Amino acid sequence: YWYGTLNERRECLATCIWRSREDALEAIKLPKHMIAAKLAHQMYDFYELEKYWLFFSSSQIYFQKIHGATKLY
């Protein structure tokens, strides 16, 4: 998990990376994640969830966006 600071457009590009969908589903049940999720609507004007597949080769990292991002207000 990485949580950055606001940029000049007041965006915060927080990032979570899990090894699998199953790991992600387990992680969202953890107490700190649930607290953060409940606070998001109070802290931000809006937020958008984007999902990517992350692939590794011997020399590069590839990101493939999963279509159907969720915009929440």
Side-chain angles (χ1 to χ4, degrees):
Y1 181 76
W2 174 82
Y3 189 84
T5 57
L6 295 177
N7 66 17
E8 66 278 356
R9 293 180 300 216
R10 298 191 36 80
E11 298 170 321
C12 179
L13 305 176
T15 303
C16 299
I17 298 176
W18 292 292
R19 296 177 300 168
S20 66
R21 179 168 173 74
E22 291 77 20
D23 283 355
L25 293 172
E26 287 301 313
I28 64 173
K29 298 175 189 175
L30 296 173
K32 288 184 179 181
H33 188 279
M34 289 193 292
I35 291 168
K38 289 178 183 176
L39 290 174
H41 73 279
Q42 297 172 15
M43 296 176 65
Y44 303 109
D45 294 332
F46 76 94
Y47 58 98
E48 186 171 355
L49 302 176
E50 296 181 354
K51 298 177 185 178
Y52 294 82
W53 289 112
L54 179 61
F55 301 96
F56 297 91
S57 74
S58 60
S59 61
Q60 292 187 329
I61 299 173
Y62 301 92
F63 293 89
Q64 179 183 5
K65 188 170 185 176
I66 300 171
H67 296 287
T70 306
K71 188 173 276 192
L72 305 167
Y73 298 91

